[in-house]
Amino acid sequence: AVLVVGGGIAGTQAALDLADSGYFVYLVEKSSAIGGVMAQLDKTFPTNDCSMCILSPKLVECGRHLNIEVITLAEVEEVKGDAGNFSVRIRQRPRYVDVTKCIACGRCAEKCPRKVVDEFNEGLNQRKAAYVKYPQAVPLKYAIDAENCIYFQKGKCKACQKFCPAEAVDFDQKEEVFELKVGAVILAPGFEEFNPEVYDTYGFARYPNVITSTQFERILSASGPYEGHLLRPSDKTAPKKIAWLQCVGSRDLHRAARGYCSGVCCMYAIKEAVIAKEHATEPLDTAIFFMDMRTYGKDFERYYNRARDEIGVRFIRCRIHTIEEDPETRDLVISYVNESGQLESEVFNLVVLSVGLEISEEMEDLAKRVGVELNFDGFAETSSFAPVATSRNGIFVCGAFNGPKDIPYSVMEASAAAAASEVTLAEVRGSLTKSKSYPEEAQVTGEEPRIGVFVCNCGINIGSVVRVPEVVEYAKSLPYVVYAGENLFTCSQDTQENMVKTIKEHRLNRVVVAACTPRTHEPLFQETLREAGLNRFLFEMANIRDQDSWVHSSEPEKATEKAKDLVRMAVAKAALLEPVEEIKVKLSQQALVVGGGVSGMVAALTLADQGYKTYLVEKTDRLGGQALRLKKTWKGEDVRQYLRDLIDRINAHEKIEVLLNSTVVDVEGFVGNFNSIVKSGDGERTINHGVAILATGAGSYKPDEYLYGKNERVFRWHELDDAIENDPELVRSAGCAVFIQCVGSREPQRPYCSKICCTAAVQKAIHLKELNPEMDVFVLYRDLRTYGRREELYTEARQKGIIFIRYSLDNKPVVEEGESKDGRKVLKVTVTDHVLQMPVTLEADFIHLATAIYPRDHEDLARFFKVTLNQDNFFLEAHMKLRPVDFATDGVFVCGLAHYPKPLEESIAQAQAAAARASIILQKEEMTVEPIVSVVDQEKCIGCGLCTTLCPFGAIRLVELPGKGYRAENISASCKGCGICAASCPEKAIDMVHFRDTQIMAAIDALGEDLNEPEFVETRDE
């Protein structure tokens, strides 16, 4: 078993990966429900998904997973023993509600007379002493807040107990202390937000319209204190001007603030400004005051550019010192000096403080109790080479507990921690797990449809626009509908349980859910059908949120009518749905890893250490990739020694076969049974494997500007390191060195940040200063992006006298050959100083260019494995936050620079994550393949072969039938259900399971029932 501490997005992801890989998991959460900080957020970027839509399915899955035991209101007191054999003492506080009896009706909270500050809504409103943490909480069971309960304070009241219809309130519950035996521990307790009350100049807690970024998230949220309406706290009016102040509590050494960059604040501020404009009913002026805009992640720069250039968010480079309040209007006055040196003053209705991330004293105590070391900034100490391993063997860490990070990185690191635990416990995989059994599926074929319709309010995401009760009443009038009802949150745990009861009670044999998007929620509802004894494909979803309430928010009348149309269409299709049998295939428990850099080697080693045969394919004659050019990490660790040890372990491992000078030239098959043809110097061989991990790395741009390639003293990336190593006098005799950043990055051809360049440049600049303290070193940059704890390098560089000069894309530095006053040959660099507002010329002895990291040679692999590239040609993951290392093609995973530029420790963690996700498949002897596939009527087929030519997945072939010639045949396990074959067949001999022509036409015909436009009818008839 594995103990996971913390029920946020990282903890739940780690728990699910472990449970799905054959381990039993105890998930310990200190509060009354799992979900963490992400449950407080409104939407995510850049996909604009509702945060709870991403989180809720994971929480519900954790809550009902047979191999996960959720333990709430609990904390770890002590961990004894060693890796593989830990004894953990847990202290669990009483809930004072019997979870086996509570039906989450809310009667206790309704009758409770005591109101207290609602911590979940960041103090913007109040809750009762009898409460549930938030509407979609897991477990969705009420709790009694003993610190504020009248009974515990005065010995009387007990209104909650008196009125509880289930007799679930139990004031006799006591605190419990018990021990758990586990083989590994994962720490994912999250973080605390910085409390800006220590800054009296910002007026937080004194001025009601100065709020934190998390409070603003709750204001925007449909389940928040203002039901998603954009209002300011003082008078509940809609603000017309909102300011965001960056780096509050971060990049600061004053008044209990932190010196590091919190890494996420720039992006969440941009997201909040963009979404605020969407929420506003009138034009909204949004301004972000910042020092450096650190949009360094995948697609972050595009989001930033769109916010600035298309949506109209203003970005003002300035750090605000003081906020003044107008006592009459409660508006806020911000004075600042603009980039031209002029003093300006603006009045805003609302100010949002972008607060940083930090580790609380409570988390520091947890680290002491568990026995893991913390670093100078209070985060768990980890190595770049083992990014999820703590100082104590067998105890791992993920999420913000070991450093500031965003949601995709936290989810990825959670899978990495799961992988590290799996390696530790590989020998006992499956020894404690249970297999889930489902009731026998009801045989509905031939029965008259009995359809149930569940319409979701989605808080107010739908309910504030669409008149849900009216839609429900309309659904009751539709053919074959025997039940229709509305739910506040259809995806919540209690609603799922009620759906099972309703299906059984009304003998439903088809189900329609009118809610949000099937992209995130269809698997959740299908699982509920299975638990109710129905085939999961007897389900249809009507998207009345993304396709209705969100796009018609100002037209409630039309939105309601459209919701009725969507429900009518879904019901019409549902009436014709049929059970679909699962497709099971035998599985090859071997893996193929393409790319022999650090990412590929770590992925291969992580799988091999779990007992899986792994083939490691590298196109060059040696392992190591880009890391062969590295010397030190940003923390100063020896990369070369690490690389030697890693390669030795790879070559010595009995489960790893290394194929050098080899390339993949073709791939056939599907998840569980791929056949890849690998070409080597001695010919070709076919490798059968169940999964594949693509870790093909990236290259660096060679520019034709700044005299690169024309002057031997203009270097890029590791060329300067090599030059110094070969000629130490180069630095000792130099008087000036210049670093130029963003060469080829953040430009129209490559409009993304290469992420690692700023840290690498500052690190090299410091090294030069250490070699020659008298040398002048200049760094010319656009935004200095030493994110996270790398800010310490930036601070050190300034302390050593390194000069940073900012330039703009429209006014780039100019490099020319010339002579100094004393006759030396120099490189003259002219740049406009952002402080002096005038050009300055630097006489450099040499120049270093930080050039773009770019993808290369990905097209063939993308075609072979049927995976996607993004617009920058990096591999595109299935979902940035839900599945950050998975592809949409099952059984194929990505890690390292092939995914996006990243430093060494992130590449290693992502490689471990890819291995963890792959091991979920490899641990099975057979697997179920998605059965939504094409079917061929060979009586109609004429064997033209058009379908085989068009199929992008190679899932249709021509076979010779005795006496009939050639006919098409579907390879079900390879088919992805795209429908190209069915759409292109000239004889209409191909149909799609679950999307048959009759089902789709029924939905289309249902749409036309209430339409009177003759043009539409004629077009349809034609």
Side-chain angles (χ1 to χ4, degrees):
V2 179
L3 174 70
V4 177
V5 182
I9 184 66
T12 53
Q13 181 67 52
L16 287 169
D17 281 348
L18 285 163
D20 288 341
S21 293
Y23 298 92
F24 191 85
V25 180
Y26 298 102
L27 180 57
V28 173
E29 165 60 35
K30 68 178 182 179
S31 71
S32 62
I34 58 177
V37 173
M38 191 171 171
Q40 294 180 281
L41 307 183
D42 177 43
K43 292 183 182 177
T44 65
F45 65 88
T47 56
N48 212 33
D49 285 319
C50 168
S51 289
M52 281 308 301
C53 286
I54 292 176
L55 184 63
S56 185
K58 288 184 182 291
L59 302 185
V60 174
E61 189 178 355
C62 275
R64 66 185 181 186
H65 203 296
L66 273 183
N67 294 312
I68 299 176
E69 182 179 340
V70 178
I71 307 172
T72 55
L73 295 167
E75 296 181 76
V76 175
E77 285 208 329
E78 186 180 30
V79 178
K80 295 180 180 179
D82 300 308
N85 187 23
F86 288 118
S87 179
V88 184
R89 189 167 73 238
I90 305 291
R91 183 177 296 274
Q92 185 175 28
R93 303 186 305 280
R95 182 182 287 267
Y96 302 112
V97 172
D98 187 336
V99 295
T100 64
K101 295 180 179 179
C102 178
I103 59 174
C105 65
R107 196 73 183 276
C108 57
E110 178 187 335
K111 298 298 182 180
C112 178
R114 174 58 60 87
K115 292 184 178 180
V116 299
V117 170
D118 187 351
E119 305 93 336
F120 185 79
N121 278 326
E122 294 290 309
L124 292 171
N125 67 344
Q126 293 182 314
R127 62 163 172 83
K128 298 294 187 67
Y131 73 103
V132 66
K133 190 174 180 181
Y134 58 96
Q136 291 146 291
V138 174
L140 192 62
K141 306 295 181 181
Y142 276 74
I144 307 298
D145 180 356
E147 291 184 4
N148 293 289
C149 175
I150 294 175
Y151 170 73
F152 285 106
Q153 290 178 336
K154 300 180 180 180
K156 56 183 179 180
C157 184
K158 289 191 175 182
C160 53
Q161 189 178 59
K162 177 182 177 181
F163 289 99
C164 177
E167 298 182 348
V169 178
D170 181 5
F171 287 107
D172 293 328
Q173 286 186 358
K174 304 296 182 185
E175 187 174 76
E176 293 184 35
V177 178
F178 53 90
E179 288 197 352
L180 300 174
K181 297 291 186 181
V182 297
V185 177
I186 295 177
L187 302 177
F191 63 90
E192 294 290 330
E193 64 181 60
F194 176 76
N195 184 354
E197 284 189 58
V198 297
Y199 287 133
D200 54 359
T201 53
Y202 287 155
F204 179 74
R206 288 189 295 114
Y207 304 154
N209 294 324
V210 176
I211 61 175
T212 68
S213 43
T214 312
Q215 287 178 317
F216 192 73
E217 292 282 346
R218 296 311 302 150
I219 289 174
L220 292 176
S221 176
S223 63
Y226 307 149
E227 298 183 330
H229 298 293
L230 182 55
L231 307 175
R232 67 177 192 167
S234 67
D235 52 13
K236 308 301 184 293
T237 59
K240 296 181 179 179
K241 288 185 69 175
I242 306 177
W244 278 260
L245 274 53
Q246 299 308 102
C247 301
V248 177
S250 301
R251 303 184 68 187
D252 192 350
L253 299 177
H254 301 92
R255 303 291 296 276
R258 305 292 184 172
Y260 55 79
C261 164
S262 287
V264 301
C265 319
C266 286
M267 283 311 302
Y268 74 56
I270 297 174
K271 178 207 72 170
E272 288 175 353
V274 169
I275 294 175
K277 281 180 169 285
E278 295 174 358
H279 277 254
T281 56
E282 296 182 9
L284 179 67
D285 183 356
T286 56
I288 298 177
F289 293 85
F290 71 104
M291 294 194 295
D292 292 288
M293 190 47 60
R294 292 184 167 173
T295 51
Y296 51 81
K298 192 173 187 178
D299 284 333
F300 288 10
E301 187 77 9
R302 274 193 174 85
Y303 195 83
Y304 168 38
N305 291 337
R306 177 172 169 266
R308 182 190 60 208
D309 301 334
E310 298 177 26
I311 298 177
V313 177
R314 291 191 292 139
F315 291 86
I316 302 170
R317 197 183 293 270
C318 167
R319 184 153 192 166
I320 301 302
H321 175 268
T322 306
I323 298 175
E324 298 291 341
E325 184 191 58
D326 184 325
E328 293 186 6
T329 63
R330 293 294 180 93
D331 288 338
L332 303 153
V333 182
I334 294 179
S335 299
Y336 62 95
V337 176
N338 64 24
E339 290 191 83
S340 300
Q342 298 173 323
L343 181 64
E344 293 194 19
S345 182
E346 283 194 61
V347 177
F348 293 89
N349 309 122
L350 186 67
V351 171
V352 182
L353 304 180
S354 294
V355 292
L357 284 54
E358 63 182 10
I359 299 303
S360 66
E361 291 183 7
E362 183 180 350
M363 294 177 191
E364 291 178 3
D365 290 341
L366 170 65
K368 291 177 184 176
R369 294 195 302 271
V370 173
V372 300
E373 294 179 5
L374 303 179
N375 58 37
F376 172 78
D377 292 314
F379 297 100
E381 184 67 75
T382 59
S383 159
S384 297
F385 307 137
V388 296
T390 68
S391 58
R392 187 172 178 182
N393 190 28
I395 299 182
F396 306 99
V397 65
C398 60
F401 189 52
N402 69 330
K405 54 181 64 72
D406 58 11
I407 295 169
Y409 191 6
S410 294
V411 172
M412 177 264 288
E413 205 174 56
S415 295
S421 302
E422 291 165 19
V423 169
T424 303
L425 305 176
E427 294 181 0
V428 295
R429 182 195 299 271
S431 58
L432 293 178
T433 53
K434 308 169 189 175
S435 296
K436 188 168 185 176
S437 59
Y438 296 94
E440 185 177 350
E441 282 189 6
Q443 298 301 312
V444 303
T445 304
E447 289 185 0
E448 181 175 289
R450 294 180 61 83
I451 301 174
V453 179
F454 299 83
V455 186
C456 187
N457 281 277
C458 198
I460 62 163
N461 271 310
I462 296 170
S464 65
V465 179
V466 175
R467 295 192 296 274
V468 170
E470 190 175 319
V471 176
V472 171
E473 288 304 311
Y474 176 76
K476 291 177 180 178
S477 69
L478 296 174
Y480 304 118
V481 173
V482 297
Y483 170 85
E486 68 173 296
N487 310 104
L488 180 61
F489 292 105
T490 309
C491 62
S492 66
Q493 189 177 27
D494 67 319
T495 304
Q496 296 302 291
E497 295 169 356
N498 288 333
M499 280 180 69
V500 173
K501 294 177 183 176
T502 302
I503 289 170
K504 293 178 178 179
E505 179 183 344
H506 293 272
R507 296 182 292 110
L508 304 180
N509 55 25
R510 308 287 192 284
V511 172
V512 171
V513 171
C516 52
T517 169
R519 186 168 64 99
T520 56
H521 282 62
E522 186 175 57
L524 174 69
F525 297 127
Q526 288 182 331
E527 179 74 4
T528 300
L529 261 67
R530 293 187 71 188
E531 292 183 351
L534 288 180
N535 185 281
R536 67 187 178 100
F537 291 99
L538 298 171
F539 171 78
E540 183 64 20
M541 203 163 177
N543 189 342
I544 62 170
R545 188 195 66 178
D546 305 43
Q547 297 173 359
D548 191 9
S549 66
W550 277 3
V551 290
H552 305 297
S553 58
S554 60
E555 301 175 294
E557 187 71 35
K558 292 182 179 179
T560 300
E561 293 306 309
K562 182 175 180 179
K564 294 177 184 177
D565 290 341
L566 291 170
V567 169
R568 186 172 67 254
M569 294 171 70
V571 167
K573 181 185 175 186
L576 297 178
L577 293 178
E578 56 195 2
V580 180
E581 290 187 13
E582 305 283 3
I583 300 173
K584 292 187 180 295
V585 295
K586 286 289 184 183
L587 188 143
S588 169
Q589 292 179 309
Q590 299 188 138
L592 178 76
V593 178
V594 185
V598 167
S599 295
M601 287 191 288
V602 169
L605 196 60
T606 305
L607 288 171
D609 282 346
Q610 296 180 62
Y612 302 117
K613 172 72 175 181
T614 304
Y615 296 90
L616 180 58
V617 178
E618 167 55 37
K619 67 179 180 180
T620 68
D621 61 355
R622 62 187 300 195
L623 298 173
Q626 294 291 345
L628 292 168
R629 307 290 302 276
L630 300 178
K631 294 180 181 178
K632 302 284 185 181
T633 69
W634 70 273
K635 295 180 180 179
E637 299 141 316
D638 188 343
V639 176
R640 291 179 174 179
Q641 184 59 51
Y642 166 74
L643 202 55
R644 284 192 291 268
D645 294 342
L646 182 60
I647 293 173
D648 288 345
R649 289 180 64 194
I650 290 287
N651 289 328
H653 207 295
E654 64 179 5
K655 290 286 186 179
I656 298 177
E657 184 174 341
V658 178
L659 304 174
L660 298 176
N661 295 311
S662 302
T663 54
V664 176
V665 295
D666 198 11
V667 180
E668 292 182 348
F670 45 86
V671 55
N673 277 285
F674 292 106
N675 288 299
S676 293
I677 300 175
V678 178
K679 183 177 181 181
S680 303
D682 55 353
E684 294 182 352
R685 62 183 289 192
T686 300
I687 296 174
N688 177 249
H689 54 101
V691 298
I693 295 177
L694 306 185
T696 47
S700 57
Y701 171 62
K702 292 184 178 181
D704 57 3
E705 56 184 334
Y706 301 126
L707 298 182
Y708 181 78
K710 304 177 181 66
N711 189 296
E712 62 182 7
R713 287 171 296 149
V714 180
F715 306 100
R716 69 183 184 95
W717 286 108
H718 311 298
E719 294 171 353
L720 178 57
D721 297 329
D722 297 340
I724 294 172
E725 194 168 349
N726 296 329
D727 181 16
E729 190 61 28
L730 175 70
V731 175
R732 286 197 291 263
S733 62
C736 177
V738 173
F739 291 77
I740 303 178
Q741 301 302 103
C742 295
V743 179
S745 291
R746 302 179 65 197
E747 296 188 356
Q749 300 85 350
R750 281 167 293 279
Y752 57 86
C753 169
S754 291
K755 191 171 185 176
I756 61 177
C757 321
C758 285
T759 302
V762 173
Q763 187 179 3
K764 292 179 191 294
I766 290 173
H767 183 54
L768 293 183
K769 270 293 191 179
E770 290 171 345
L771 294 174
N772 182 358
E774 301 304 316
M775 182 194 306
D776 293 327
V777 179
F778 297 87
V779 178
L780 314 185
Y781 71 101
R782 289 174 58 192
D783 286 281
L784 216 292
R785 294 181 172 176
T786 47
Y787 61 93
R789 296 187 60 236
R790 291 164 172 77
E791 184 72 11
E792 294 165 12
L793 285 176
Y794 185 25
T795 302
E796 182 184 353
R798 296 197 307 272
Q799 290 171 347
K800 288 183 179 296
I802 295 169
I803 306 299
F804 292 83
I805 301 175
R806 190 174 66 251
Y807 74 91
S808 67
L809 182 61
D810 297 329
N811 192 10
K812 296 165 68 173
V814 176
V815 177
E816 301 172 302
E817 293 178 332
E819 290 187 356
S820 64
K821 293 179 181 178
D822 57 5
R824 291 184 303 112
K825 288 185 177 180
V826 294
L827 293 161
K828 292 191 173 183
V829 183
T830 303
V831 61
T832 300
D833 187 284
H834 63 282
V835 176
L836 301 176
Q837 292 290 305
M838 60 182 294
V840 295
T841 299
L842 311 174
E843 296 183 347
D845 292 283
F846 57 86
I847 295 172
H848 179 274
L849 306 179
T851 66
I853 304 297
Y854 73 96
R856 60 185 181 192
D857 304 329
H858 288 171
E859 290 84 356
D860 285 344
L861 277 177
R863 180 165 46 84
F864 296 154
F865 283 103
K866 311 298 188 294
V867 297
T868 309
L869 303 175
N870 74 356
Q871 52 196 321
D872 299 316
N873 245 30
F874 290 104
F875 284 119
L876 181 63
E877 65 275 26
H879 191 284
M880 179 180 286
K881 293 175 172 63
L882 279 171
R883 299 167 64 198
V885 298
D886 300 45
F887 282 110
T889 299
D890 294 334
V892 189
F893 307 90
V894 65
C895 60
L897 298 178
H899 167 260
Y900 187 72
K902 55 181 62 69
L904 190 63
E905 71 269 25
E906 291 182 32
S907 292
I908 291 171
Q910 195 174 36
Q912 291 176 296
R917 300 292 294 168
S919 69
I920 294 174
I921 297 172
L922 292 180
Q923 56 100 17
K924 305 172 184 175
E925 293 184 357
E926 64 175 17
M927 66 175 301
T928 301
V929 178
E930 187 67 23
I932 298 179
V933 297
S934 63
V935 288
V936 181
D937 184 343
Q938 293 183 334
E939 293 299 321
K940 291 183 179 180
C941 177
I942 60 173
C944 68
L946 179 62
C947 56
T948 64
T949 303
L950 294 177
C951 179
F953 302 103
I956 288 193
R957 61 190 173 194
L958 289 179
V959 295
E960 189 172 5
L961 299 180
K964 295 185 178 181
Y966 285 93
R967 296 291 185 268
E969 178 183 78
N970 173 267
I971 307 171
S972 297
S974 297
C975 182
K976 296 300 176 187
C978 67
I980 290 176
C981 57
S984 59
C985 179
E987 299 298 313
K988 300 298 180 185
I990 304 178
D991 211 347
M992 299 300 303
V993 172
H994 198 60
F995 292 93
R996 295 188 181 276
D997 289 350
T998 53
Q999 295 165 350
I1000 296 198
M1001 289 309 300
I1004 294 173
D1005 289 341
L1007 174 63
E1009 285 178 6
D1010 288 352
L1011 295 178
N1012 298 316
E1013 296 90 336
E1015 294 82 1
F1016 177 85
V1017 176
E1018 288 175 9
T1019 303
R1020 186 189 65 190
D1021 289 341
E1022 288 173 3

